[in-house]
Amino acid sequence: MPMLGQLALATAALRNYALTLNAALADRGVYAGTLTIGGLVERGDIHAMVTADPAKYGAADGHTLDPDHLADAAWDMYRTRDRAKRVFDALGG
């Protein structure tokens, strides 16, 4: 997503900070994790805008993520604390 390129450095820094924080503080009961969302999240404002104008944005079919699955994953990460990162990629890359 070229238009989001300017966010790459800040996003990478925040991801690395969360992973480092988790590793440093896990023995104190502190948990930090990252849920990377690589796709269009269904049922939101941006999803509505994109799907309303496929001529401008392209077809979203097969390239969306279910927010219920994202929420379940975030809750599972917090509950189990067995991993500090999870990636959702709507493009399958």
Side-chain angles (χ1 to χ4, degrees), residues 14-92:
L14 287 171
R15 178 189 169 275
N16 286 332
Y17 177 67
L19 297 177
T20 302
L21 186 65
N22 185 64
L25 299 177
D27 62 339
R28 297 183 192 176
V30 176
Y31 174 76
T34 65
L35 184 65
T36 302
I37 301 171
L40 183 61
V41 179
E42 298 167 359
R43 302 191 312 259
D45 293 342
I46 295 172
H47 180 263
M49 178 187 72
V50 168
T51 56
D53 194 354
K56 181 175 182 179
Y57 298 106
D61 300 339
H63 300 294
T64 61
L65 298 168
D66 184 334
D68 294 334
H69 293 153
L70 299 172
D72 288 343
W75 176 248
D76 185 59
M77 288 174 67
Y78 172 76
R79 187 180 50 78
T80 62
R81 299 176 181 220
D82 63 347
R83 61 183 152 187
K85 64 179 180 175
R86 178 125 184 232
V87 176
F88 284 85
D89 183 358
L91 300 178

